[in-house]
Amino acid sequence: MSQTVVLGVIGSDAHVVGITILEQAFNAAGFDVINLGVQTSQEEFAEAALEHDAEAVLVSSLYGHAEQDCQGFHETLEATGVDATTYIGGNLAVGQDDFEETRATFEELGFDRVFDSETDTEEAVAALRQDLQLRTPETERPTISS
Amino acid sequence: MSQTVVLGVIGSDAHVVGITILEQAFNAAGFDVINLGVQTSQEEFAEAALEHDAEAVLVSSLYGHAEQDCQGFHETLEATGVDATTYIGGNLAVGQDDFEETRATFEELGFDRVFDSETDTEEAVAALRQDLQLRTPETERPTISS
Amino acid sequence: MIRDERIPSEELQRIDEQIRSNWSTGEAVDFEDAIEYHESLPERKRFADVLESADSPLLQPRAGVPQLDDQVELLEYLHSEGKADLLPTTIDSYTRDNEYGKAQEGLEKARETGEDTLNGFPAVNHGVEGCRELIDAIDAPIEVRHGTPDARLLAAITFAGGFQSFEGGPISYNIPYTKRHGLEETIEKWQFVDRLAGAYTERGVRINREPFGPLTGTLVPPSIAIAIMLVEGKLAATQGVRSVTLGYGQVGNIVQDVAALNALKKLGNEYLPDEVVVTTVFHEWMGGFPPDEARANGVISLGGMTASIAQPDKVITKSPQEFQGVPTKEANSAGLRTTRQVIDMAIEQQIDIDGIEEEQDLIERETRCLMDTIFDHGDGDVVQGTIKAFDSGALDVPFAPSDSAAGAVLPARDDDGRVRIFEWADLEMDDDIKEIHKARLTQRADTEGRDQSFRMVADDVDAISDGKLIGRPQGGV
Amino acid sequence: MIRDERIPSEELQRIDEQIRSNWSTGEAVDFEDAIEYHESLPERKRFADVLESADSPLLQPRAGVPQLDDQVELLEYLHSEGKADLLPTTIDSYTRDNEYGKAQEGLEKARETGEDTLNGFPAVNHGVEGCRELIDAIDAPIEVRHGTPDARLLAAITFAGGFQSFEGGPISYNIPYTKRHGLEETIEKWQFVDRLAGAYTERGVRINREPFGPLTGTLVPPSIAIAIMLVEGKLAATQGVRSVTLGYGQVGNIVQDVAALNALKKLGNEYLPDEVVVTTVFHEWMGGFPPDEARANGVISLGGMTASIAQPDKVITKSPQEFQGVPTKEANSAGLRTTRQVIDMAIEQQIDIDGIEEEQDLIERETRCLMDTIFDHGDGDVVQGTIKAFDSGALDVPFAPSDSAAGAVLPARDDDGRVRIFEWADLEMDDDIKEIHKARLTQRADTEGRDQSFRMVADDVDAISDGKLIGRPQGGV
Ligand code: B12
Ligand code: B12
């Protein structure tokens, strides 16, 4: 019953700490996590998702070039034949921007959910559970909240 | 040739440090300073100015009630027969105000010059010298700038 | 002749009735009803208990606006956004002058225009009911902070109104705050305030009393501040107060500040009766602030750092807008959160700095000299001793605007930035201690290649707002 | 096989010509003309001299925008309003990837739309002339800061453009900044950069080189950072660099940070040849910041406090907007001024904290273990040793995104907030040192009543942004 998520940092962004924490959180929540690491191209995301039959693709971006890096991302997924829930999160704009604008921009690009960098990992886990219509397995709860 | 200035903190304001510093600066600059201290009423300013035949009356206020405290100040001076240069300085408004507005308010009340609390004492001394048309006595310069 | 003796209860009642007739709202004060109200308050609103049981420094800002609704909103904001542990209600200047009529005008004008025409909350005018509305609305303990020489009516109303902590004292709210009130007069008036707090205490409602430690806020040598705290603590204890928070204002030298807070705590416990629970409060820098919020944040943080080492029971925070005027609620909260971050990051670290014991020892010896002279002046009576010691100049406060203090003693920083005494005037002090100060100041004068003078004092007064701790000569001489 | 040997001058020329042909602006580089230009610069623009002759820590922010005019304005602002002593020019990400074409597009789009479409200043695209306009316009030394694995063209153009300081190194701009560049490759490329700096140095133009000390910015144990600094310093020295600034990123524990900076300075002087002038730079907290400017100011101030005690030659400041994104110039200046105020208030105070020597001793022993293993791995050659030690995991960096590092070592804070190693993986270290770490971490686990786990590491990663130093479990477990 465990579901696979593909995780990575897009573009030439090397901020790795966030996805390291996310990997651990999704693992602890019972997902199978394929962590592609930093500086992952659109194609690498698509191929990994295809190969592992991933339910979700989680894109991280911190360095401020997310918008450029994600142009055509969903077209690439589609072209590869991937139909997964897509999330993006991190620090998505250069400078001191308003997050609601940012969210709109990325939803328009096709992401199912957009997270800011204040996101708690539990929040993201809960959202994905909901989107994939999973229920929290009783036994895992203490692991997550501890 | 030394000139007399009357100095004090108006109203029920007790902030004494500023006038202590001012007293010392005007003294060092060769003025005769009559320091009335804190919590000085309009009448006390007027009487002291009259008694000592003061060239200037320097009013200080820090606690934010300057405007109320100075209502009718110049009328009081006039009624007592005092015709002196008047300055006010310190922290003249309650809260985070724009100083240009504050300056206008106090000029309207009749003050010849209005100083904010970033005022350097030398600035005030130089201004008074100019207004009373005094020249810096050569011998005092080192004392002031040292 | 006024002495350090407890006011008899009939006398307490007589004064109480008299002062309550000074303003219309005095009538509504009813002691039994007040006790009942206090007893109805939940534990988290009981000031003394919350403060005394805390295991790390609690943070408290200063704040007061004229209207009740606005005050509720302001305190709620400081509680939720600033994460203040303890809240204040700062009283307006007219009330401090006992000008309740003017305060009423101001309050009415505020209600009409929506402007803050008073620089604080006129608690007397709001009366018992108004105060209780405030206490009911806010989910944390609240203290009355003011600066009132004669605070008797204010105390009667705010105690009945549910406040459980009250700042000030006969010296600390006289010498720095007013020119003409005699010490004898303010002591008498504060004996009543303390006696009233004691009456509540006897009935199980421990009103916390907090002498105002920073005094003139400007380079006050620690021992002078501590001696005055001990005197006020003793006076309060005599009247039955059992929860006393002694205060101290940051001078900016970490070693000296930590040493002073240690000495304050130690001597407080030593000089005050055992039945009094002594806590300490550290005030972030009370002198002139930099005219720049960014630099002000640095000053505030140095306070937080010091607090994390000394661990007082409470810290009164400043805002980055201190220089400019009464802060916005946002700035006030920012000061709280900056302080919190520094304390929380530093407090778990073991930071033992060399020289603290030595400095503490010096401060204790100085304080004992001052306490001894006070007792001597009063033949063992601390009230008479205080009055006479101020009179003779044996006890003095730098930059005191009051006619009751000589204000002749002058402080200056030594080469390490510690506050020493440059001009002793008649201040009582052992010669060997004077020699220590002199040596330190001579060292500084040598470093700077100039004589000790008032100029040095003036430079020190401006130093922190100019961005330094020590007022070194700028450029050439 | 690449070794720690100076690139012969013919080889230098050959590479120089080759890399200059990578982008149109490369042509304009002329070494003799560049020397002349540097010689024409006034003393106050000479980076190494200004830095090495300072008598208290100099402050430097990070800042870079795409357009030249904007960059001039930005730096002027940081100089005049922020009172920065040294200025930066941070390079955009495309340039870091050697994607000069994309950078050109971004620059042109920036010129058209007025928006900052690049996250830094594309110095290669601005070319020698553009760089000199910047150098001419700003009355202070300016450093190139980037994060580029292959920075050869960037160096050629910025050196000729008048910059006299250049951040980075083959490990420090590889391991934290890129996934796929091999170490052998980046070492070779940085040997060229250092050799070019050395060529200028030989002609009297001392280009300052600054290895990037903070690495991944996230709980990097001091000895790992220091060892890498020593390696990069040695490599630079071999190529003729004579002014080296070794870096270190604040971990937030004052004792450990001061000890680390002391150790860095001491070991730098010991391991680097005598003819190199070694200075140090302290980076204010490089990990995740609080999402709140007020709390961020507390983090920044703790950095200032640490700097005032350790007295590094330079401090790289953070802004209160660090969490959010690239700061406005006002916020950037605010970070500078907050830092300045704290340093200036604290630096004249004598603050000797217990335990610094002990911690420094531990850091030095650890660093020596790492240096020994590097030399051993390379049979005395530091280049081969570094490559092989990273390969075997004997040298490693926590949270390294690079394929060239195992990234298997995991740090965690001890009960005092000092960064220790929780998972050693293959990191080379004497057993008795490992025991010390283990004991400290066990103590913490006991305090918290939980096992050591990755959860603890994750909590520590978030702790400062959550307002604490140590990631203690929240509420119940
Ligand atoms: C550490 C750090 C670095 C380290 C990174 C080391 C490494 N390899 O990981 C170093 C020093 C190398 C670095 C370099 C750079 N950095 Co940096 N860095 C940071 C810093 C301080 C902390 C990031 C971090 O580790 N946070 C801790 C982790 C746990 O949090 P996180 O990354 O935010 O991730 C969490 C959430 O965002 C969320 N999340 C993240 N992704 C996703 C995805 C999904 C789907 C979901 C649901 C959630 C989610 O969950 C995560 C876990 O809690 C931030 C500022 C900050 N936040 O305080 C700047 C910051 C991100 N960096 C920035 C920049 C500009 C850079 C550089 C371009 C600049 C330079 N001058 O060198 C380079 C880029 C290099 C590159 N090629 O990527 C900017 C980005 C600006 C913007 N977006 O507008 C920031 C905001 C700093 C700033 N204010 O300027 N950086
Ligand atoms: C120290 C201080 C105190 C001490 C004063 C001790 C004493 N008796 O002197 C104590 C703690 C007692 C105190 C009390 C109060 N204070 Co007070 N205090 C300050 C503080 C921190 C420093 C003032 C100071 O000494 N500065 C150093 C001296 C050298 O500078 P200065 O006074 O500004 O004077 C210089 C210039 O202004 C100028 N200047 C001044 N007057 C004049 C006149 C002329 C003609 C000229 C040319 C120049 C000039 O030259 C002087 C020398 O350089 C300021 C905030 C700040 N500035 O940082 C608040 C501040 C002035 N206080 C303030 C307030 C509200 C109060 C209280 C009402 C509040 C309270 N909660 O108790 C009470 C008032 C008591 C009373 N009755 O007056 C507010 C005023 C708000 C406003 N104007 O909007 C301030 C700005 C703090 C704040 N941000 O809220 N305070």
Side-chain angles (χ1 to χ4, degrees):
Chain A
M1 249 271 344
S2 103
Q3 313 244 347
T4 303
V5 301
V6 162
L7 177 65
V9 181
I10 200 162
S12 57
D13 190 342
H15 289 90
V16 76
V17 185
I19 56 160
T20 309
I21 305 293
L22 285 171
E23 175 183 10
Q24 176 256 349
F26 278 95
N27 260 331
F31 290 91
D32 275 343
V33 184
I34 311 295
N35 186 348
L36 304 175
V38 305
Q39 298 178 332
T40 298
S41 67
Q42 297 192 356
E43 292 69 28
E44 288 166 320
F45 273 104
E47 280 154 28
L50 185 69
E51 184 184 332
H52 299 279
D53 193 18
E55 258 74 24
V57 177
L58 273 47
V59 178
S60 175
S61 176
L62 269 295
Y63 74 156
H65 280 323
E67 196 180 333
Q68 290 102 305
D69 293 341
C70 292
Q71 295 295 345
F73 182 68
H74 287 81
E75 290 72 9
T76 307
L77 290 186
E78 212 171 299
T80 320
V82 175
D83 172 31
T85 298
T86 59
Y87 287 1
I88 187 162
N91 202 323
L92 301 174
V94 191
Q96 306 294 321
D97 276 32
D98 172 39
F99 184 68
E100 283 316 309
E101 272 176 41
T102 305
R103 183 198 299 278
T105 306
F106 287 92
E107 282 178 352
E108 223 158 274
L109 280 170
F111 287 95
D112 293 315
R113 290 188 191 249
V114 184
F115 296 87
D116 67 12
S117 52
E118 288 190 56
T119 308
D120 197 34
T121 50
E122 327 274 287
E123 234 177 275
V125 167
L128 192 61
R129 280 224 172 90
Q130 192 189 315
D131 290 352
L132 303 183
Q133 292 180 318
L134 291 173
R135 301 209 5 225
T136 314
E138 274 310 318
T139 52
E140 280 157 16
R141 275 193 188 134
T143 323
I144 304 161
S145 64
S146 73
Chain B
M1 249 275 338
S2 102
Q3 312 243 346
T4 302
V5 300
V6 162
L7 177 65
V9 181
I10 200 162
S12 58
D13 191 343
H15 289 91
V16 76
V17 186
I19 56 160
T20 310
I21 306 292
L22 285 170
E23 175 182 11
Q24 176 257 348
F26 278 95
N27 260 331
F31 289 90
D32 276 344
V33 184
I34 311 295
N35 186 347
L36 304 175
V38 304
Q39 299 179 331
T40 298
S41 67
Q42 296 191 356
E43 291 70 27
E44 288 166 322
F45 273 104
E47 279 154 27
L50 185 71
E51 184 185 334
H52 299 280
D53 193 18
E55 257 76 23
V57 177
L58 273 46
V59 179
S60 176
S61 175
L62 269 294
Y63 73 156
H65 280 324
E67 195 181 333
Q68 291 101 306
D69 292 340
C70 293
Q71 296 295 345
F73 183 67
H74 286 81
E75 289 72 10
T76 307
L77 290 185
E78 212 171 300
T80 322
V82 175
D83 173 30
T85 298
T86 58
Y87 288 2
I88 186 161
N91 201 322
L92 302 175
V94 191
Q96 307 294 323
D97 276 35
D98 173 39
F99 185 66
E100 282 317 309
E101 271 177 42
T102 305
R103 183 197 300 280
T105 306
F106 287 91
E107 282 177 355
E108 224 158 274
L109 280 171
F111 287 96
D112 293 314
R113 292 187 190 250
V114 184
F115 296 87
D116 67 13
S117 53
E118 289 191 55
T119 307
D120 197 35
T121 49
E122 328 273 286
E123 232 177 277
V125 167
L128 193 61
R129 281 226 172 88
Q130 192 189 315
D131 290 352
L132 304 182
Q133 291 181 320
L134 292 172
R135 301 209 4 224
T136 315
E138 276 308 320
T139 52
E140 281 158 15
R141 274 191 189 137
T143 323
I144 304 161
S145 65
S146 72
Chain C
M1 194 176 66
I2 176 174
R3 303 185 63 88
D4 181 27
E5 283 160 4
R6 183 179 295 212
I7 302 176
S9 46
E10 321 76 67
E11 179 70 2
L12 171 68
Q13 255 171 37
R14 193 190 57 73
I15 308 172
D16 186 52
E17 266 161 40
Q18 177 210 315
I19 62 114
R20 287 200 286 112
S21 68
N22 285 353
W23 187 253
S24 60
T25 54
E27 234 174 83
V29 175
D30 179 285
F31 186 67
E32 290 303 326
D33 170 68
I35 295 288
E36 216 170 279
Y37 178 71
H38 279 279
E39 284 170 348
S40 79
L41 294 176
E43 196 134 355
R44 62 186 182 284
K45 295 193 185 186
R46 300 195 179 171
F47 206 102
D49 294 342
V50 170
L51 177 63
E52 292 160 6
S53 65
D55 50 15
S56 65
L58 301 184
L59 304 193
Q60 182 177 357
R62 293 186 177 80
V65 286
Q67 295 192 68
L68 180 58
D69 292 355
D70 293 344
Q71 181 70 2
V72 169
E73 203 186 296
L74 175 57
L75 295 192
E76 266 172 359
Y77 186 92
L78 295 170
H79 192 38
S80 64
E81 298 302 309
K83 301 273 186 295
D85 302 297
L86 301 169
L87 290 162
T89 287
T90 301
I91 306 300
D92 70 291
S93 285
Y94 289 129
T95 303
R96 296 164 185 223
D97 293 344
N98 309 111
E99 303 252 33
Y100 310 117
K102 285 197 188 168
Q104 190 66 31
E105 268 173 49
L107 179 58
E108 274 155 25
K109 206 170 149 201
R111 282 175 181 153
E112 277 160 36
T113 64
E115 275 175 46
D116 286 350
T117 46
L118 297 173
N119 60 6
F121 181 83
V124 168
N125 302 73
H126 285 294
V128 175
E129 276 315 302
C131 290
R132 288 189 188 173
E133 271 184 57
L134 181 60
I135 299 286
D136 287 339
I138 303 298
D139 213 19
I142 316 180
E143 177 179 41
V144 183
R145 307 185 68 84
H146 45 124
T148 315
D150 176 3
R152 294 174 302 171
L153 182 55
L154 182 65
I157 286 180
T158 54
F159 292 175
F163 287 90
Q164 295 194 350
S165 180
F166 200 78
E167 197 191 39
I171 309 169
S172 62
Y173 267 10
N174 173 339
I175 304 297
Y177 278 96
T178 176
K179 183 156 72 175
R180 292 195 189 87
H181 287 83
L183 263 178
E184 172 149 6
E185 175 196 340
T186 52
I187 291 176
E188 194 188 320
K189 280 159 186 167
W190 279 89
Q191 281 183 328
F192 172 81
V193 171
D194 284 330
R195 182 64 177 83
L196 194 58
Y200 278 90
T201 302
E202 256 174 72
R203 292 289 298 273
V205 178
R206 291 197 310 141
I207 305 270
N208 171 264
R209 285 275 298 107
E210 180 187 329
F212 176 64
L215 301 173
T216 51
T218 308
L219 305 177
V220 180
S223 55
I224 291 180
I226 295 174
I228 290 170
M229 289 302 97
L230 298 179
V231 168
E232 293 198 348
K234 285 182 76 67
L235 299 186
T238 302
Q239 304 302 330
V241 172
R242 293 297 171 257
S243 175
V244 172
T245 305
L246 303 179
Y248 171 77
Q250 181 185 12
V251 304
N253 176 286
I254 295 184
V255 168
Q256 191 172 35
D257 282 329
V258 174
L261 280 162
N262 291 350
L264 179 66
K265 179 115 209 168
K266 180 173 159 198
L267 297 176
N269 279 311
E270 183 182 322
Y271 277 83
L272 267 57
D274 287 345
E275 57 273 26
V276 176
V277 180
V278 177
T279 45
T280 57
V281 53
F282 178 61
H283 295 250
E284 291 180 343
W285 176 246
M286 289 291 292
F289 254 68
D292 167 6
E293 298 194 15
R295 295 203 287 113
N297 284 321
V299 177
I300 288 169
S301 294
L302 191 67
M305 190 67 217
T306 307
S308 77
I309 300 173
Q311 306 206 16
D313 300 289
K314 178 166 96 174
V315 178
I316 305 277
T317 58
K318 282 263 166 153
S319 100
Q321 293 177 341
E322 173 64 15
F323 173 84
Q324 188 55 39
V326 175
T328 61
K329 62 183 190 304
E330 291 82 8
N332 214 342
S333 291
L336 281 159
R337 294 202 307 273
T338 299
T339 304
R340 176 85 64 191
Q341 181 80 22
V342 174
I343 293 183
D344 281 358
M345 284 181 67
I347 201 163
E348 291 191 274
Q349 302 182 30
Q350 193 178 332
I351 300 175
D352 297 319
I353 308 178
D354 288 355
I356 288 177
E357 292 76 13
E358 201 186 318
E359 186 67 36
Q360 183 180 340
D361 187 61
L362 180 65
I363 293 170
E364 287 179 16
R365 282 169 58 212
E366 291 174 27
T367 309
R368 285 182 206 281
C369 275
L370 294 172
M371 292 307 288
D372 287 349
T373 201
I374 291 168
F375 289 124
D376 288 349
H377 273 77
D379 272 335
D381 180 75
V382 71
V383 162
Q384 283 301 314
T386 301
I387 294 169
K388 289 177 179 153
F390 266 113
D391 225 39
S392 73
L395 186 58
D396 194 9
V397 174
F399 301 105
S402 170
D403 290 343
S404 300
V409 66
L410 280 179
R413 292 190 188 275
D414 69 17
D415 227 20
D416 195 56
R418 302 186 197 178
V419 174
R420 304 296 177 198
I421 294 174
F422 154 63
E423 170 58 58
W424 293 90
D426 296 316
L427 195 82
E428 177 66 35
M429 197 56 64
D430 288 351
D431 284 340
D432 63 323
I433 292 176
K434 287 190 179 175
E435 284 306 317
I436 295 174
H437 285 240
K438 198 171 162 193
R440 299 295 178 90
L441 290 172
T442 304
Q443 188 190 345
R444 167 173 173 192
D446 288 350
T447 302
E448 295 177 2
R450 64 168 170 174
D451 289 340
Q452 294 171 43
S453 69
F454 186 82
R455 183 77 226 189
M456 205 179 249
V457 181
D459 288 343
D460 283 349
V461 165
D462 285 341
I464 287 182
S465 63
D466 289 348
K468 314 269 178 188
L469 183 66
I470 307 172
R472 307 284 193 196
Q474 293 304 305
V477 183
Chain D
M1 194 177 66
I2 176 173
R3 302 185 65 88
D4 183 27
E5 283 159 6
R6 182 179 296 212
I7 301 176
S9 44
E10 319 79 65
E11 179 69 3
L12 171 68
Q13 255 170 37
R14 193 190 57 72
I15 309 173
D16 185 52
E17 266 159 40
Q18 177 210 316
I19 63 114
R20 287 201 285 112
S21 67
N22 285 351
W23 187 254
S24 60
T25 54
E27 235 175 82
V29 175
D30 178 285
F31 186 68
E32 290 304 326
D33 170 69
I35 296 288
E36 217 170 280
Y37 178 72
H38 279 280
E39 284 170 347
S40 78
L41 293 176
E43 196 133 356
R44 63 186 183 284
K45 295 192 185 186
R46 300 194 179 172
F47 206 103
D49 294 343
V50 170
L51 177 61
E52 292 160 6
S53 64
D55 49 15
S56 66
L58 300 184
L59 303 193
Q60 182 177 356
R62 293 187 178 80
V65 287
Q67 296 191 69
L68 180 58
D69 292 355
D70 293 343
Q71 181 69 2
V72 169
E73 202 186 296
L74 176 57
L75 296 192
E76 265 172 359
Y77 187 92
L78 295 170
H79 193 37
S80 64
E81 297 302 309
K83 301 272 185 295
D85 302 297
L86 302 169
L87 290 163
T89 286
T90 301
I91 306 300
D92 70 290
S93 285
Y94 289 129
T95 302
R96 296 165 185 222
D97 293 344
N98 309 113
E99 303 252 34
Y100 310 117
K102 285 196 188 169
Q104 190 65 31
E105 267 173 49
L107 179 57
E108 274 154 24
K109 205 169 151 203
R111 283 175 181 152
E112 277 161 35
T113 63
E115 275 175 46
D116 286 350
T117 46
L118 297 174
N119 61 6
F121 182 82
V124 168
N125 301 74
H126 284 294
V128 174
E129 276 316 301
C131 290
R132 289 190 189 172
E133 271 184 57
L134 181 60
I135 300 287
D136 288 338
I138 303 299
D139 214 19
I142 315 181
E143 177 179 40
V144 183
R145 306 185 69 83
H146 45 124
T148 316
D150 176 2
R152 294 174 303 171
L153 182 56
L154 182 64
I157 286 180
T158 53
F159 292 175
F163 287 90
Q164 295 195 349
S165 180
F166 200 79
E167 198 190 39
I171 309 169
S172 64
Y173 267 10
N174 174 338
I175 304 297
Y177 278 96
T178 176
K179 182 156 72 175
R180 293 196 189 85
H181 287 83
L183 262 178
E184 172 149 7
E185 175 197 339
T186 50
I187 291 176
E188 195 188 319
K189 279 158 186 169
W190 278 89
Q191 281 183 329
F192 171 82
V193 171
D194 284 330
R195 181 65 177 82
L196 194 59
Y200 278 91
T201 302
E202 256 175 72
R203 294 289 297 273
V205 179
R206 291 196 311 141
I207 305 269
N208 170 264
R209 285 274 298 107
E210 181 186 329
F212 177 65
L215 301 172
T216 50
T218 307
L219 304 177
V220 180
S223 55
I224 291 181
I226 295 173
I228 290 170
M229 289 300 98
L230 298 178
V231 168
E232 293 197 350
K234 285 182 75 66
L235 299 186
T238 302
Q239 304 300 331
V241 172
R242 293 296 170 258
S243 175
V244 172
T245 305
L246 302 179
Y248 171 76
Q250 181 185 12
V251 304
N253 176 286
I254 295 184
V255 167
Q256 191 173 35
D257 283 328
V258 173
L261 280 162
N262 291 351
L264 179 65
K265 179 115 211 169
K266 181 174 159 197
L267 297 176
N269 279 311
E270 182 182 321
Y271 278 84
L272 268 56
D274 287 346
E275 56 275 24
V276 176
V277 181
V278 177
T279 45
T280 57
V281 52
F282 177 62
H283 296 251
E284 290 179 346
W285 176 245
M286 290 291 292
F289 255 69
D292 167 6
E293 297 193 17
R295 295 203 287 113
N297 284 321
V299 177
I300 288 170
S301 295
L302 191 67
M305 190 68 219
T306 307
S308 78
I309 300 173
Q311 306 207 13
D313 301 288
K314 179 165 96 174
V315 178
I316 305 277
T317 59
K318 282 264 167 155
S319 99
Q321 293 177 341
E322 173 65 15
F323 173 84
Q324 188 55 39
V326 175
T328 61
K329 62 183 191 303
E330 291 81 9
N332 215 340
S333 291
L336 282 159
R337 295 203 306 274
T338 298
T339 304
R340 175 86 64 190
Q341 180 80 23
V342 174
I343 293 183
D344 282 358
M345 283 181 69
I347 200 162
E348 292 192 274
Q349 303 182 30
Q350 193 178 332
I351 300 175
D352 298 319
I353 308 178
D354 288 356
I356 289 177
E357 292 76 13
E358 200 185 318
E359 186 67 34
Q360 182 180 341
D361 187 61
L362 180 65
I363 294 170
E364 286 179 16
R365 282 169 58 213
E366 291 174 27
T367 309
R368 287 181 204 282
C369 276
L370 294 172
M371 292 307 289
D372 288 350
T373 201
I374 292 169
F375 289 123
D376 288 350
H377 273 78
D379 272 335
D381 179 76
V382 72
V383 162
Q384 282 302 316
T386 301
I387 294 169
K388 289 177 180 154
F390 266 112
D391 226 38
S392 73
L395 186 58
D396 194 9
V397 174
F399 302 105
S402 170
D403 289 342
S404 300
V409 66
L410 280 179
R413 293 191 187 273
D414 69 17
D415 227 20
D416 195 55
R418 302 186 197 179
V419 174
R420 305 295 177 198
I421 294 174
F422 154 62
E423 171 58 59
W424 292 89
D426 296 316
L427 195 81
E428 178 64 37
M429 198 55 64
D430 288 350
D431 285 339
D432 63 324
I433 292 176
K434 287 190 179 175
E435 284 306 317
I436 295 173
H437 285 240
K438 197 171 162 193
R440 299 295 177 90
L441 291 173
T442 304
Q443 188 190 346
R444 166 171 173 194
D446 289 350
T447 302
E448 295 177 2
R450 62 168 170 175
D451 289 339
Q452 294 171 42
S453 70
F454 185 83
R455 184 76 227 189
M456 205 180 249
V457 181
D459 288 343
D460 283 349
V461 165
D462 285 342
I464 287 183
S465 63
D466 289 347
K468 313 269 179 187
L469 183 66
I470 307 172
R472 307 283 193 198
Q474 293 304 306
V477 183

